[in-house]
Amino acid sequence: AEGVPFVGVLFAGIMLTDDGPRVIEFNARFGDPETQALLPLMETDLVEVALACCVGRLAETPLRFRDDVAVTVVLAAPGYPAYPEIGAVIKDLGLVNETHQPPGANDHASGALVFQAGTERNGDEIVTAGGRVLSVTGVGRDVATARAMAFARANQIDFAGKQMRRDIAWRAIARTAGGYAESGVDIDAGHETVDRMKAAVQATYNSAVVAGVGSFGGVLDLAELKRYDHPVLVASNDGVGTKVMVGVAANNVAGLGADLVNHCINDILVQNARPIAFLDYVAAAKLEPVKIAAVVSSMADACGAVGCVLLGGETAEMPGVYHDGHLDVAGTIIGLADRNALLPRIDIVPGDVLIGLGSSGPHTNGYSLLRRVLAGIPLDVIPDGMSVPLGEALLAVHRNYLPVLENLLDNHLPLVKALVHITGGGLLDNPPRILPEGTAAKVKLGSWPVPPLFQLVRDASGLDADELHRTLNMGVGMVLVVAAADAAAVQAEINENSWIIGEIIEGNRTVTLY
């Protein structure tokens, strides 16, 4: 209207409000630092665009922008904005406008640009010379990635009193969150999982169950306590560890539930307790109803085999906590015992003997070592000396020793001084749990047959006996401590092979292999 055409940059500062976008200001220049979040996405050469402005051909010049996101973080001097302090040496700055890819960047287009603003050179150093010292722009496929790039690079740069906002772009990320399903949690899958396993769980119920699946907490009638002279509760909590990784790799996770239950039953059996209730916890990055239900169903089967109620549990979907496809399986068992019949006894003395019962495999311990040693053998291969594929041997279900020991404990308890479940720590670290002061134990290698899987690990790893027997059960999953004179009678009451594997000696609660 005035006859003075404007050729150049017209920058608008705009803020989004509840009533829509509102203009804060116009500038006849590039906005700082906003431009640092805009131009990194422009693919058209800026010089080409500026020339088109000068010659009146801007409308004919296509502007191309990357389909990415940029986020800019300002690094400010201490005292900014009121009284910025200047002159501080800037460390780890790198080159001007240098592109950085922080660790974890998996997109070739991702990275960070550093723009100098309030800086100046002082000899060989760059120092702060203004309130807004630097701008760091992260570029990525989405807001979260770009923000991560920006903050990763900003955190690398250092100068005295550096300050920056840590909440840049969080609202933009929040708007992309979507619902619970977009966060990686499928509520419907959780309901399907519960429906699939409900029948198996309820099959373990007896008349003592007041409330179970679907309740906020399992409720059990404890009238059974009346049959004990001095009833005590015995509880234990455990998991199956990295055995789940073998199950996932072999696409065979069903037995993990029985592994867990049997492990926990053995943990309270050594105190002469009988299981009455079990509660489970199964978590995954993404719930696969069929797979999770198979795990819980095998828990129910293991509980039902010994008259234990699967009273309740938790199935959790937690993306980001667990790797895709992987599980975590843990649980708590509650048992009953008579205080007057608790094990171990205090009369363990030198001369008592150790009777070993065979394991069904590695049980639920030592799998971090096993996976490392056997990493080069496919799970479907039958190694030399073994009769089953490696995966089948590794996933053999943890034994439950209650059926084989129940008659002995119920009818001949005075013959048994202690039971030792050989779990994490193996034959070296578990027996000391029951040894009185002034006693120790020695275990004779070769006194029991070492199963082929453990022979394979021993021969392939080259590990010494102490390391192997501290990590793995090496074929012995339960140990009984009895008087030497009672050993034959005890073995006669055990309806399977057992071996005298060592004895109690004087010492300081240690185990020696010989």
Side-chain angles (χ1 to χ4, degrees):
E2 296 177 359
V4 183
F6 175 75
V7 178
V9 175
L10 185 64
F11 175 83
I14 302 174
M15 181 173 287
L16 292 177
T17 73
D18 291 340
D19 298 322
R22 292 290 183 267
V23 176
I24 299 174
E25 60 178 352
F26 283 108
N27 285 314
R29 59 167 175 78
F30 282 120
D32 177 20
E34 294 86 352
T35 301
Q36 284 125 34
L38 295 173
L39 291 187
L41 300 180
M42 191 170 77
E43 293 180 323
T44 306
D45 190 334
L46 182 59
V47 173
E48 180 184 342
V49 176
L51 178 60
C53 290
C54 293
V55 299
R57 293 184 176 178
L58 181 61
E60 305 168 17
T61 304
L63 296 181
R64 298 182 302 277
F65 286 85
R66 292 169 50 181
D67 188 21
D68 286 318
V69 176
V71 172
T72 298
V73 177
V74 174
L75 278 61
Y80 175 83
Y83 304 102
E85 302 173 19
I86 62 176
V89 175
I90 305 174
K91 301 175 182 177
D92 298 317
L93 179 58
L95 302 176
V96 178
N97 297 352
E98 181 179 3
T99 300
H100 297 264
Q101 284 193 309
N106 54 12
D107 185 339
H108 72 277
S110 299
L113 296 164
V114 180
F115 296 96
Q116 296 193 38
T119 66
E120 65 181 16
R121 184 174 295 279
N122 183 6
D124 294 333
E125 298 176 325
I126 302 295
V127 299
T128 60
R132 289 187 293 188
V133 180
L134 302 162
S135 294
V136 180
T137 299
V139 178
R141 62 188 178 276
D142 52 38
V143 178
T145 302
R147 183 180 189 272
M149 296 295 109
F151 277 112
R153 183 68 184 106
N155 287 330
Q156 292 174 347
I157 300 172
D158 187 43
F159 56 84
K162 179 185 79 173
Q163 58 172 325
M164 61 180 177
R165 286 180 55 171
R166 302 282 180 177
D167 61 345
I168 298 299
W170 78 268
R171 290 182 177 83
I173 294 175
R175 285 194 293 271
T176 65
Y180 211 11
E182 284 75 11
S183 300
V185 178
D186 189 340
I187 295 176
D188 292 335
H191 292 326
E192 181 184 346
T193 301
V194 173
D195 289 341
R196 284 178 175 272
M197 65 188 184
K198 183 180 293 185
V201 173
Q202 290 179 336
T204 70
Y205 288 1
N206 55 34
S207 59
V209 177
V210 179
V213 175
S215 304
F216 286 100
V219 183
L220 194 67
D221 187 334
L222 292 181
E224 188 178 358
L225 290 173
K226 297 176 182 177
R227 68 184 180 89
Y228 289 86
D229 294 330
H230 192 157
V232 293
L233 290 177
V234 182
S236 182
N237 179 273
D238 220 313
V240 296
T242 56
K243 187 173 184 177
V244 295
M245 302 180 74
V246 179
V248 169
N251 195 29
N252 180 14
V253 299
L256 298 175
D259 280 324
L260 176 65
V261 172
N262 291 344
H263 184 123
C264 290
I265 289 173
N266 295 334
D267 278 350
I268 65 169
L269 177 63
V270 298
Q271 292 168 288
N272 198 24
R274 302 296 183 270
I276 59 169
F278 190 82
L279 298 99
D280 69 272
Y281 171 82
V282 182
K286 181 176 180 59
L287 287 184
E288 300 177 58
V290 173
K291 184 180 292 186
I292 303 299
V295 173
V296 177
S297 294
S298 76
M299 291 182 194
D301 291 342
C303 285
V306 293
C308 177
V309 171
L310 183 51
L311 189 59
E314 168 69 5
T315 303
E317 189 170 46
M318 296 194 289
V321 175
Y322 300 101
H323 293 298
D324 288 346
H326 285 277
L327 307 171
D328 192 14
V329 183
T332 299
I333 195 164
I334 301 171
L336 284 175
D338 196 307
R339 183 165 183 171
N340 299 321
L342 284 174
L343 294 175
R345 287 169 23 195
I346 61 174
D347 60 340
I348 297 173
V349 295
D352 290 342
V353 298
L354 308 178
I355 298 176
L357 300 182
S359 66
S360 52
H363 288 178
T364 54
N365 297 101
Y367 280 83
S368 295
L369 173 64
L370 291 168
R371 289 186 301 109
R372 187 178 182 89
V373 171
L374 303 174
I377 306 177
L379 294 176
D380 59 353
V381 167
I382 302 177
D384 289 343
M386 294 178 57
S387 59
V388 298
L390 177 63
E392 184 177 334
L394 289 173
L395 293 173
V397 173
H398 192 131
R399 282 198 69 185
N400 174 3
Y401 291 94
L402 175 57
V404 71
L405 293 175
E406 190 166 22
N407 178 67
L408 174 66
L409 297 174
D410 286 348
N411 300 308
H412 308 282
L413 181 61
L415 299 178
V416 180
K417 294 189 176 184
L419 296 174
V420 183
H421 186 199
I422 307 304
T423 62
L427 279 164
L428 291 182
D429 291 346
N430 284 290
R433 301 187 192 198
I434 56 91
L435 292 176
E437 290 292 339
T439 65
K442 63 178 184 178
V443 173
K444 183 178 181 180
L445 299 179
S447 58
W448 71 91
V450 177
L453 175 63
F454 296 112
Q455 293 181 35
L456 176 66
V457 174
R458 179 189 62 199
D459 298 341
S461 69
L463 294 172
D464 62 35
D466 280 2
E467 183 66 23
L468 287 170
H469 290 80
R470 177 171 280 115
T471 307
L472 305 169
N473 66 58
M474 296 303 290
V476 174
M478 183 69 76
V479 173
L480 294 78
V481 181
V482 304
D486 296 329
V490 168
Q491 288 184 285
E493 293 295 332
I494 298 174
N495 191 27
E496 64 176 51
N497 289 332
S498 61
W499 313 277
I500 295 179
I501 64 170
E503 63 180 316
I504 303 298
I505 59 175
E506 294 182 354
N508 188 26
R509 302 181 69 187
T510 58
V511 176
T512 303
L513 302 177
Y514 73 102

